[in-house]
Amino acid sequence: MKIAVLSGKGGTGKTLVSVNLAVAAKEAVYIDCDVEEPNGHLFFEPKPIGSEQIVIKIPVVDEKLCNGCRKCVEFCKFNALAYINNKLIVFDEVCHSCGGCMLFCPEKALAEKEKMIGEVQYGVSENVTVVTGILNIGEASGIPIIKNLLNYAKGEQAITFIDCPPGSACIVMESIKDADYCILVAEPTFF
Amino acid sequence: MKIAMPVNDKSMESCVGNTFGRTSYFLVYDTETKESIFVDNSAAASQGGAGIKAAQTVVDSQVEALITPQCGENAAKVIQASNIKIYKIINDSIQDNINAFKHGELSLLEKIHGGFHGHGGK
Ligand code: SF4
Ligand code: SF4
């Protein structure tokens, strides 16, 4: 069973609730999806058992092949590309790695390069497996990290607690995708 | 010289828009011929990266200056790569800003904001 813990804003006690639920369960997995500031591990102090770097693929242009047709610019619905001064500019942080522009380029001028955006760390703390996602500072989207985190939970038999980022942005929707239940933690003060 | 400005409506009597990336239209004004064209900002409805797309529209209209209340860092990168100068508006009147520009009374926009990416949270 997978239980996601979320809230409308930060500071309501999501981590407090999910950490304690995990400890109270006989055997549990705690997944920290709050990749911008994961802090569940501070309570568990898990013994590290491994880590994995998360890379995404972003386009690089070969200026010798690019003829400036702008098909890629029109295609990119995230507006990560601009064609300025006879040159294609790629905004790495805006790119969602959909790969579309590379397929569309009639001149085959776009190749992919790998970029590291963060890390997933595994550890154990008594009866709890602690999985923590960490997004590098300055990166716009932690979704590839969430995907990796949830992959870990896929075949998991033990009860899994997913500590979500605050709010209701795409990254939260991604975090609760596989959840069987959601717990909303509320607290009566303004933002 | 051609200049661009985010505006709320397709009229010289309308006001300067209060955003850049998600403004409804851009006014492209030629200070010599006094000709004005209104360009739809197709970026207004985009999910993300509106500033980049809006900046592409401004660059494609071949202006030499942009007069705007604000500008995000990605948009500024596009605009500046095309050697277009970014000036700050003095008020929300289109005509006042054009006059101030002609008299060299506008100052360059110094504060480039980090963008309004993501929503909710914190
Ligand atoms: S689609 Fe290919 S050739 Fe056309 S502008 Fe983009 S990179 Fe250049
Ligand atoms: S990979 Fe997708 S999101 Fe990234 S620049 Fe290409 S089309 Fe845009």
Side-chain angles (χ1 to χ4, degrees):
Chain A
M1 183 167 57
K2 297 183 182 65
I3 300 175
V5 180
L6 51 159
S7 69
K9 60 179 180 125
T12 58
K14 281 183 302 304
T15 300
L16 179 81
V17 170
S18 35
V19 165
N20 281 290
L21 286 171
V23 172
K26 271 207 190 68
E27 200 198 334
V29 178
Y30 167 85
I31 300 184
D32 201 341
C33 285
D34 192 2
V35 296
E36 280 180 33
E37 34 198 89
N39 49 15
H41 65 98
L42 298 175
F43 300 101
F44 285 113
E45 298 185 328
K47 218 178 327 96
I49 50 174
S51 65
E52 190 180 334
Q53 303 207 318
I54 309 299
V55 292
I56 55 166
K57 296 199 161 70
I58 51 168
V60 264
V61 62
D62 183 337
E63 282 168 15
K64 289 194 291 296
L65 294 177
C66 173
N67 66 5
C69 71
R70 296 195 185 194
K71 290 225 163 68
C72 56
V73 179
E74 283 156 33
F75 173 81
C76 182
K77 74 167 176 136
F78 302 102
N79 301 320
L81 303 171
Y83 193 81
I84 305 296
N85 259 348
N86 301 319
K87 252 175 129 153
L88 186 73
I89 312 184
V90 182
F91 287 85
D92 291 6
E93 304 78 30
V94 181
C95 171
H96 283 55
S97 301
C98 73
C101 56
M102 297 175 236
L103 291 174
F104 254 74
C105 174
E107 305 299 319
K108 303 260 168 297
L110 293 169
E112 53 184 33
K113 74 167 181 211
E114 292 198 329
K115 183 183 178 204
M116 210 200 46
I117 58 156
E119 197 179 57
V120 170
Q121 292 175 350
Y122 306 96
V124 277
S125 167
E126 294 181 21
N127 57 345
V128 182
T129 307
V130 180
V131 190
T132 306
I134 304 161
L135 179 69
N136 289 348
I137 290 169
E139 292 300 333
S141 171
I143 293 203
I145 299 183
I146 305 286
K147 287 208 159 93
N148 183 293
L149 287 168
L150 296 181
N151 256 343
Y152 180 87
K154 277 241 159 73
E156 187 55 56
Q157 294 306 311
I159 180 161
T160 302
F161 295 95
I162 303 167
D163 191 357
C164 296
S168 57
C170 324
I171 191 158
V172 178
M173 296 304 121
E174 191 70 34
S175 305
I176 64 172
K177 218 174 53 187
D178 295 341
D180 300 301
Y181 295 95
C182 289
I183 297 176
L184 283 131
V185 184
E187 184 266 336
T189 55
F190 284 119
F191 278 77
Chain B
M1 187 199 279
K2 287 211 280 184
I3 59 177
M5 214 184 288
V7 293
N8 287 337
D9 211 345
K10 294 179 164 180
S11 145
M12 292 300 277
E13 275 71 53
S14 147
C15 314
V16 182
N18 49 16
T19 65
F20 170 73
R22 295 193 187 272
T23 186
S24 307
Y25 308 98
F26 284 108
L27 160 68
V28 176
Y29 182 82
D30 190 321
T31 52
E32 272 107 61
T33 63
K34 299 194 167 48
E35 196 187 351
S36 55
I37 308 167
F38 294 90
V39 186
D40 283 351
N41 178 24
S42 53
S46 39
Q47 254 184 35
I52 298 172
K53 192 170 185 187
Q56 178 85 59
T57 304
V58 168
V59 170
D60 291 346
S61 43
Q62 292 169 326
V63 297
E64 285 171 63
L66 167 70
I67 304 170
T68 178
Q70 49 170 280
C71 183
E73 58 187 6
N74 286 336
K77 192 171 155 195
V78 172
I79 304 274
Q80 282 158 351
S82 340
N83 296 319
I84 297 172
K85 291 223 161 52
I86 308 175
Y87 294 95
K88 182 151 180 56
I89 54 163
I90 44 165
N91 58 23
D92 68 357
S93 148
I94 296 175
Q95 202 56 53
D96 287 1
N97 281 291
I98 291 176
N99 292 340
F101 176 79
K102 281 192 197 153
H103 296 121
E105 287 162 5
L106 293 181
S107 47
L108 290 172
L109 182 75
E110 275 166 19
K111 203 166 132 270
I112 303 293
H113 68 78
F116 302 119
H117 317 294
H119 1 238
K122 301 289 122 62

